[in-house]
Amino acid sequence: MAYLHCEQRGFQPHFEDTKRLRSSVEPTPAGHFKEASQSTSQVSRTYFDAAITLESPSSAEMMEDFTGRRGPHWLASSRASERRHRFPLSLFQRISLLLVLISSLIGTTYARDEKPEDNPDGITTKIVTFDAQHFIGFYYLERTEQDDTDETIVMQDQMRNVWITHDHGKTWGIPPLLEDDNAWIVATYPHPYKKDRIFFVTGSNTVYYTLDRGRHIKKLEAKNPPSPFASEIMNFHPNQEDWFIWTGAEQCDDEDSIDECHSESWFTPDRGKSWTFLRRYVKKCQFITEAGRGDNENLIYCEQYENEDMASPGATQLVASDDFFKETREVHFKDIIDFATMSEFIIVAAKDEDQKSLKVDASVDGWNFAEAKFPPDFQVQHQQAYTVLDSSTHSVFLHVTVNARPFFEYGTIIKSNSNGTSYVVSHRAVNRNEVGYVDFEKMQGLEGVAMINIVANPREALLGQKKILKTKITHNDGADWSLIEAPATGADGKPINCEPKDKERCSLHLHAYTERDDPRETFSSPSAVGLMMAVGNVGDHLGTRQEGDTYITRDGGIVWHAVKNGTYLWEYGDQGSIIVIVEKSTPTREVFFTLDEGRKWERYEFSEDLMSIDEITTVPSDNSREFLLWGRVTSNKSIATVNLDFSGLPGRSRKCRLEDEEGGESDYETWEPKHPEQEDNCLFGHVTQYHRKKIDADCYNGVQLKSKPVIKSNCPCTRKDFECDWNFERQPGGTCKAVGTPKDYSQACRDDPKLVEYHKPTGYRRIPITTCKGGMEFDLSSDLQECEGHHEEFKKKHGISGAGLFFAITVPFLLSAAIGWWAYHNCDGKFGRIRLGDSAQATFSSGSPLITYPVAVISAIVAILATLPLLVSSLWRSASSRLGGGSSVRYTTRSSLSRGRSDYAVVAENYSEDGELLGDDSDEEPTPGTV
């Protein structure tokens, strides 16, 4: 979930491109952490609050992976730290180091295995402490198919020492090359597309890196030292593993030329062996191609200062090239704030021409941009800030700030169509904080589920009163938002003190994104489908976090259950079959875990000493049976990591079976998500089935479940599969009504003189991710109008010619005559005769008037009925072309409608043309075509 926040504060933007789906991220020298990947399978927390301190190292055994020898190798790190004279050791620290040295020499270790007698069997603990004041960050390297047992973490302390573990924190060590070179690491960049690679940037031209998860360290020489002006030092190519862009400082090491100090970007195709100059005076340069999207692999964007003068840099331009700026250079925007590349869109924040507001432009191919059209009734005098929230469902969620008053901020979430250019309102008065983060979060692994916190008193907050927050949830990607029904009982099993059916006074409210210490923490995990955990309270609004309790849902947010009283941290392991929780920042020596998705919780004591835990983590994919606690020992304030290993637990020692070849029972069952207000399980036009481990199956999932979610069946289309088109707004009855000034759709003819016709929309457009078929297809009919000056072309295209009209009239008459002739010659006697003696006349002979006249009348009626529709249709087209009327035309596909309409742009064959369903829903099903 990419996060781009742009604010107009003297046009000094705040930009966070943070992967809120807990993906691996890269720190900039300024300490911000930048997004490294859009893939939702990379789920690592890589930043930790720098207020935490560390003391005393682990034993010498942990260095065996790096040195091949045993011994107190960590002491070299301590001496190197002393040589820097940055953090002189206190008497207490000197005594601690002496004790550690003695313990190393006699074969003991500061990593302790502890197991109280009443603990469950099969769980092991390893505690490791460090000799440092605090640490800057830690980075999980996702496991690869080649080695699915490696659980590597890279951690950096405040002395800029790099510590690496390959066994999930049981042993740690410093790579010898970094230590021997006395390397001062200023930034760490994991390769976002090659999981085994990580780069360590120093303050000089030297860059250290590893291609094998830290087991061997190499170094390369960049063209210049890292730039203090750049927002990103390194940028990697998604398909070419050795390509990267380096942004360094030029003319910054000489005091005489300090006024000429600026940043330059260079490209290398071979990991630093050769370099190609790109641009100077830049903020950053990035590869724009997306992995697997088929873009031009050479396309690069650079943010470049217009004046090429750091004393007076002027506007920041967005320039592009697909030949490394050798010959091609195109300026897309002359005055931008920032840009973000997402899985399907490129979003640019630029200043408006009046220099008082911001505008949004979007592109899907990197070359062609379209300015975003906001809802006609969406009035913001100066769009002072906006935040790009998400684009994982073929559309962009955008939060536009309405009230920018510090500590009272809120705004409106609007949502785009599939090319990011046409927006409609999803929900108003959505909470945000002073730095631009928004209380908006999508559930991972399950399409269409998201939660927000809204400001229930926006008018009062606008005047400076305290914001009152309420939590809402959607199960159809922003179409409907509703309060969360409260659980019937609390964590103690007693009934809650309000009526859950009265949602306005009694609903569940959750602390969300703006209140988290670590922004990468999330409610859910992509590997634990349907599970979410959160801290909150039951009532009419959200209370303080200190007063909150911990809750869980197993069905994608429909039904919630109280887990524990108090505020707990949580982590999913083994794809949700193990969940561990621990009290946050409270002295404790125990964790709780569940093997049945929260129905039963067991206690485990991990330490004899009380510890204050600030974070609990596991591997990015949440499929390990090991967890790592990061915290502080209460008694001596030392910092430690605690490894919790559940792989020996009896209930998690056997590998689960998806299908037993011997005919045994599978350990998995199918689960279908649903909308709480629908009787069937149709969501976005289909029923989806997921494999989830059976609650009572005593086994573990392993690295990855081989079975993927499948669409069981498609459903007939209903109103829930469509949203209101741009310039339309949903009404209480479910119809979409035009709002604001009616749009002049004939403008398309004036914009394109060659255009023959244009369409008036139905007011509805199909949700891009729906797969519904048949049923109520609201978008398949539209009024067709001819463009002025193209009457003859329109008439030729849709009218009927004179010859056509002649045959339309004569053919039915000839056909009826033929039928009459056949009946006259073939039906004699076939109707039966009535004889009155031998001399009686045949009443129903072929020449009888009772036969001939009815046949003629019936033939004439048939001819007239067959001719009238064509005749009326032709006359109507002729009249409507003169009077401005039109006819109803049905389209068999969404693409055919898009190609015939002026307000839709075909982006690609595999892209839908519409955004998502937005607004309040109703049980009433409006008639298709109603506007």
Side-chain angles (χ1 to χ4, degrees):
M1 186 178 298
Y3 225 17
L4 165 61
H5 176 73
C6 296
E7 256 186 283
Q8 186 169 313
R9 296 175 178 173
F11 290 116
Q12 296 299 317
H14 170 83
F15 177 72
E16 290 289 346
D17 191 7
T18 305
K19 183 74 171 179
R20 287 179 52 193
L21 300 187
R22 301 185 299 174
S23 71
S24 59
V25 296
E26 306 169 7
T28 67
H32 293 289
F33 284 72
K34 313 301 285 186
E35 175 180 284
S37 173
Q38 297 292 334
S39 171
T40 57
S41 65
Q42 300 174 15
V43 194
S44 69
R45 271 69 47 86
T46 60
Y47 171 80
F48 201 77
D49 194 340
I52 298 176
T53 60
L54 300 172
E55 292 179 11
S56 77
S58 61
S59 73
E61 291 180 329
M62 64 182 153
M63 292 310 304
E64 188 171 12
D65 285 345
F66 298 108
T67 64
R69 62 181 186 273
R70 304 168 85 79
H73 190 73
W74 60 269
L75 287 178
S77 172
S78 299
R79 296 191 196 100
S81 300
E82 287 187 89
R83 286 197 299 270
R84 297 186 185 108
H85 300 292
R86 296 179 180 270
F87 295 92
L89 296 177
S90 65
L91 177 61
F92 173 78
Q93 290 174 317
R94 294 173 186 272
I95 295 174
S96 298
L97 289 176
L98 181 60
L99 292 175
V100 174
L101 175 59
I102 296 173
S103 66
S104 303
L105 294 176
I106 64 176
T108 60
T109 175
Y110 270 66
R112 304 191 302 273
D113 294 306
E114 300 184 3
K115 178 188 173 185
E117 294 181 358
D118 60 344
N119 271 349
D121 293 330
I123 304 176
T124 62
T125 301
K126 183 78 70 173
I127 300 177
V128 180
T129 56
F130 298 86
D131 175 34
Q133 297 299 317
H134 61 85
F135 62 92
I136 299 173
F138 57 88
Y139 309 81
Y140 274 88
L141 301 186
E142 182 59 283
R143 292 181 290 192
T144 62
E145 296 181 359
Q146 291 74 22
D147 187 359
D148 57 14
T149 61
D150 184 290
E151 299 186 359
T152 298
I153 309 172
V154 179
M155 183 268 289
Q156 193 175 8
D157 63 31
Q158 101 287 346
M159 302 301 295
R160 301 293 175 174
N161 295 314
V162 174
W163 298 80
I164 300 181
T165 174
H166 298 294
D167 53 14
H168 212 141
K170 294 177 181 176
T171 58
W172 294 85
I174 301 176
L177 179 59
L178 296 181
E179 189 171 35
D180 294 343
D181 286 359
N182 198 21
W184 185 259
I185 307 300
V186 299
T188 305
Y189 282 84
H191 197 298
Y193 309 104
K194 300 295 292 184
K195 308 309 176 187
D196 294 337
R197 302 186 177 192
I198 187 166
F199 291 75
F200 306 102
V201 179
T202 69
S204 66
N205 296 41
T206 302
V207 178
Y208 297 89
Y209 67 95
T210 175
L211 305 179
D212 56 5
R213 310 173 74 82
R215 289 179 172 85
H216 299 87
I217 302 295
K218 302 179 180 181
K219 58 184 177 181
L220 61 87
E221 292 298 316
K223 291 297 293 186
N224 38 34
S227 171
F229 306 109
S231 59
E232 184 178 56
I233 304 300
M234 301 184 72
N235 183 261
F236 300 90
H237 197 282
N239 302 322
Q240 304 294 333
E241 60 185 27
D242 290 331
W243 287 20
F244 67 81
I245 297 173
W246 171 267
T247 302
E250 187 66 22
Q251 294 181 290
C252 298
D253 55 353
D254 189 351
E255 294 183 1
D256 295 334
S257 61
I258 193 65
D259 293 339
E260 303 296 326
C261 177
H262 63 275
S263 56
E264 290 184 347
S265 287
W266 294 77
F267 161 71
T268 176
D270 46 19
R271 213 183 319 126
K273 295 179 182 179
S274 62
W275 296 90
T276 299
F277 174 74
L278 297 178
R279 307 302 298 170
R280 60 171 52 89
Y281 288 91
V282 297
K283 289 175 62 178
K284 67 177 177 181
C285 289
Q286 288 185 0
F287 294 108
I288 298 303
T289 183
E290 277 290 331
R293 199 169 70 178
D295 296 336
N296 187 333
E297 292 202 339
N298 297 343
L299 182 59
I300 295 175
Y301 278 3
C302 289
E303 289 185 49
Q304 184 179 22
Y305 293 108
E306 182 180 20
N307 295 341
E308 295 194 1
D309 182 358
M310 297 309 299
S312 178
T316 305
Q317 301 180 108
L318 181 63
V319 296
S321 174
D322 59 2
D323 63 357
F324 307 106
F325 294 96
K326 294 177 181 178
E327 296 181 0
T328 304
R329 177 183 176 271
E330 181 172 335
V331 178
H332 284 302
F333 298 92
K334 291 184 176 298
D335 200 353
I336 74 164
I337 302 299
D338 219 317
F339 72 91
T341 57
M342 310 173 80
S343 58
E344 298 177 6
F345 304 96
I346 301 167
I347 306 297
V348 177
K351 299 177 189 178
D352 211 343
E353 294 180 358
D354 59 7
Q355 296 289 297
K356 294 181 179 180
S357 60
L358 304 178
K359 66 174 184 175
V360 178
D361 288 81
S363 174
V364 294
D365 62 4
W367 288 107
N368 301 296
F369 283 85
E371 185 174 351
K373 297 185 298 182
F374 292 115
D377 63 336
F378 186 67
Q379 300 294 331
V380 178
Q381 185 175 6
H382 296 295
Q383 296 159 8
Q384 293 181 329
Y386 67 87
T387 304
V388 181
L389 301 174
D390 177 78
S391 68
S392 61
T393 51
H394 310 307
S395 57
V396 178
F397 278 92
L398 188 68
H399 181 277
V400 181
T401 298
V402 175
N403 180 22
R405 185 172 180 176
F407 306 106
F408 303 96
E409 300 91 349
Y410 63 84
T412 298
I413 290 181
I414 56 178
K415 189 180 181 187
S416 78
N417 60 351
S418 62
N419 59 15
T421 59
S422 176
Y423 288 80
V424 290
V425 173
S426 176
H427 207 294
R428 301 180 187 270
V430 179
N431 185 52
R432 57 151 281 197
N433 62 13
E434 61 275 11
V435 296
Y437 291 124
V438 180
D439 277 343
F440 171 93
E441 183 172 328
K442 282 199 169 185
M443 184 178 185
Q444 301 178 62
L446 194 63
E447 60 184 1
V449 179
M451 288 189 287
I452 58 175
N453 279 344
I454 66 166
V455 178
N457 59 335
R459 293 185 179 180
E460 292 78 3
L462 192 62
L463 299 175
Q465 296 186 23
K466 180 181 179 181
K467 292 186 290 187
I468 298 176
L469 303 182
K470 293 188 175 185
T471 301
K472 286 190 172 183
I473 190 170
T474 177
H475 294 272
N476 50 10
D477 211 33
D480 308 292
W481 295 93
S482 61
L483 296 169
I484 302 175
E485 184 172 332
T489 61
D492 55 5
K494 297 179 181 180
I496 60 176
N497 56 4
C498 61
E499 175 52 51
K501 298 301 180 182
D502 184 6
K503 287 189 177 181
E504 288 299 327
R505 295 182 177 86
C506 185
S507 56
L508 180 61
H509 307 282
L510 306 173
H511 295 275
Y513 193 70
T514 59
E515 298 184 70
R516 292 175 182 160
D517 296 331
D518 183 351
R520 279 145 300 276
E521 292 179 355
T522 58
F523 292 131
S524 59
S525 167
S527 65
V529 179
L531 296 178
M532 284 193 288
M533 293 196 70
V535 171
N537 62 272
V538 172
D540 60 355
H541 68 279
L542 183 64
T544 64
R545 190 177 184 88
Q546 292 73 18
E547 300 171 342
D549 298 322
T550 305
Y551 297 86
I552 191 172
T553 177
R554 309 179 189 99
D555 55 7
I558 298 177
V559 179
W560 290 77
H561 308 272
V563 171
K564 292 286 183 182
N565 292 328
T567 302
Y568 282 76
L569 301 168
W570 61 87
E571 186 57 89
Y572 305 96
D574 191 40
Q575 303 182 44
S577 79
I578 307 172
I579 305 176
V580 179
I581 62 174
V582 61
E583 280 193 278
K584 176 179 173 59
S585 302
T586 300
T588 184
R589 57 171 59 92
E590 62 188 15
V591 298
F592 294 88
F593 69 93
T594 177
L595 304 180
D596 55 8
E597 298 181 352
R599 291 170 174 81
K600 177 185 176 183
W601 293 88
E602 297 185 56
R603 172 184 174 275
Y604 177 78
E605 187 172 316
F606 62 84
S607 173
E608 295 178 352
D609 300 322
L610 289 174
M611 291 186 64
S612 179
I613 303 301
D614 296 284
E615 181 70 285
I616 177 173
T617 63
T618 189
V619 298
S621 53
D622 290 339
N623 55 21
S624 173
R625 286 172 288 169
E626 296 187 40
F627 302 81
L628 198 62
L629 306 178
W630 305 76
R632 180 192 306 276
V633 179
T634 304
S635 59
N636 59 17
K637 305 301 181 182
S638 64
I639 298 303
T641 60
V642 183
N643 173 277
L644 301 175
D645 190 347
F646 288 77
S647 57
L649 200 65
R652 291 296 178 270
S653 58
R654 177 180 65 85
K655 183 74 167 61
C656 294
R657 297 185 299 267
L658 181 59
E659 294 180 359
D660 195 329
E661 297 179 356
E662 299 178 357
E665 185 178 1
S666 172
D667 291 313
Y668 294 91
E669 60 186 359
T670 57
W671 175 73
E672 298 177 357
K674 64 179 298 181
H675 193 287
E677 297 179 1
Q678 293 180 198
E679 294 183 0
D680 56 26
N681 291 347
C682 285
L683 279 176
F684 304 109
H686 55 261
V687 177
T688 305
Q689 290 186 337
Y690 295 82
H691 277 95
R692 298 207 305 189
K693 192 181 76 65
K694 294 178 180 177
I695 296 297
D696 57 353
D698 291 331
C699 59
Y700 69 94
N701 291 301
V703 175
Q704 186 177 5
L705 183 60
K706 295 182 179 180
S707 176
K708 298 181 178 180
V710 296
I711 295 179
K712 178 182 178 182
S713 61
N714 290 313
C715 308
C717 296
T718 67
R719 176 63 182 83
K720 299 181 185 300
D721 294 297
F722 299 88
E723 68 172 345
C724 292
D725 204 347
W726 185 83
N727 204 41
F728 288 81
E729 190 169 291
R730 188 183 180 87
Q731 303 300 305
T735 60
C736 292
K737 181 180 179 181
V739 295
T741 304
K743 181 179 178 180
D744 182 10
Y745 294 97
S746 64
Q747 180 64 40
C749 300
R750 294 186 285 274
D751 295 338
D752 183 2
K754 296 181 180 180
L755 197 64
V756 176
E757 60 197 19
Y758 66 94
H759 291 265
K760 288 185 176 179
T762 64
Y764 302 88
R765 61 188 187 190
R766 189 180 178 94
I767 297 176
I769 59 176
T770 186
T771 60
C772 69
K773 295 182 178 180
M776 305 178 71
E777 297 175 309
F778 285 75
D779 66 330
L780 295 187
S781 62
S782 178
D783 292 332
L784 188 64
Q785 306 287 328
E786 70 176 53
C787 289
E788 185 177 356
H790 292 273
H791 171 70
E792 295 300 327
E793 296 172 79
F794 181 83
K795 181 180 178 181
K796 183 178 180 180
K797 183 176 181 180
H798 298 285
I800 184 170
S801 64
L805 182 62
F806 171 78
F807 285 111
I809 295 174
T810 57
V811 168
F813 276 106
L814 293 175
L815 182 62
S816 63
I819 294 173
W821 182 87
W822 182 89
Y824 178 80
H825 290 282
N826 292 279
C827 295
D828 185 22
K830 298 298 189 297
F831 296 102
R833 291 186 174 89
I834 299 177
R835 297 178 181 276
L836 298 177
D838 293 338
S839 60
Q841 184 179 358
T843 306
F844 289 96
S845 66
S846 61
S848 173
L850 296 178
I851 293 296
T852 57
Y853 291 123
V855 167
V857 171
I858 292 173
S859 299
I861 293 174
V862 169
I864 292 172
L865 293 177
T867 305
L868 278 177
L870 291 174
L871 181 61
V872 171
S873 176
S874 177
L875 293 175
W876 171 250
R877 288 194 183 98
S878 178
S880 64
S881 67
R882 293 173 174 81
L883 300 178
S887 62
S888 178
V889 180
R890 289 185 61 84
Y891 291 85
T892 56
T893 67
R894 183 68 181 124
S895 297
S896 63
L897 174 62
S898 302
R899 287 190 292 269
R901 292 179 52 167
S902 61
D903 55 337
Y904 282 87
V906 177
V907 180
E909 288 299 327
N910 59 339
Y911 284 147
S912 173
E913 291 299 321
D914 307 302
E916 306 293 341
L917 177 62
L918 300 168
D920 297 328
D921 203 355
S922 171
D923 291 333
E924 290 188 40
E925 292 288 356
T927 304
T930 303
V931 177

